Amino acid sequence: MRTKVVIAVAALAMGAAAVPVVAHHAFSAEFDADAPIHLEGVVVKMEWINPHAWVHVEVTNEDGSKTVWMVEGGTPNTLLRRGFSRNSLLPGTEIIVDGYQAKDGSNKGNGRDLTFRDGRKLFMGSSGTGAPRDGRDPTEPGR
């Protein structure tokens, strides 16, 4: 009996070690609070994945060229509770995103506010991760 317990515990430990770990990061580890971004463009793709959803936005540059930005939002569950749905950001949807650029200077950012062309706004930020407290988060303490 004791041998079976040892084998079972060893098997569980090996199984747990084989599962990939996805690290959740703090805002300040990847994004720069002193580098705000304002993107106007169309949705190319929306990824409803954990731990953060990603909106891919194609932006037309001043010279007419196009750049696709990856914008991180909150968790899919959080976004659903804030009014997003899988049909909110279909490819081709025109949006404006305000947020913060990645520290590495890439075309990646952390989104705070998403505005549709008709003026509707959705807060897409990740609360409690070190993102700037700017009063835009409806769940932020002290509001």
Side-chain angles (χ1 to χ4, degrees):
M1 179 68 175
R2 186 170 263 197
T3 303
K4 288 182 181 179
V5 171
V6 170
I7 291 171
V9 169
L12 285 173
M14 288 186 338
V19 175
V21 177
V22 177
H24 187 262
H25 61 87
F27 173 91
S28 61
E30 191 169 355
F31 303 101
D32 186 350
D34 296 322
I37 55 173
H38 178 87
L39 306 172
E40 297 186 28
V42 296
V43 174
V44 175
K45 169 170 76 167
M46 176 72 186
E47 294 181 280
W48 291 90
I49 56 175
N50 280 315
H52 293 278
W54 289 89
V55 181
H56 299 258
V57 183
E58 183 179 69
V59 175
T60 302
N61 303 312
E62 288 183 21
D63 66 1
S65 64
K66 305 214 184 251
T67 303
V68 175
W69 283 74
M70 290 178 58
V71 181
E72 179 185 73
T75 67
N77 185 39
T78 300
L79 295 179
L80 287 167
R81 286 183 287 150
R82 290 183 180 154
F84 282 79
S85 75
R86 289 194 177 269
N87 294 322
S88 295
L89 296 171
L90 296 173
T93 303
E94 293 184 40
I95 60 172
I96 300 168
V97 177
D98 290 299
Y100 303 94
Q101 187 168 11
K103 285 183 172 181
D104 66 7
S106 65
N107 296 328
K108 187 164 64 171
N110 180 279
R112 290 292 276 176
D113 291 316
L114 185 145
T115 307
F116 292 95
R117 288 290 175 193
D118 65 6
R120 289 179 297 136
K121 286 187 178 278
L122 291 171
F123 178 76
M124 65 182 296
S126 310
S127 298
T129 62
R133 290 184 178 260
D134 52 16
R136 292 187 282 181
D137 181 352
T139 65
E140 206 169 79
R143 274 201 69 169

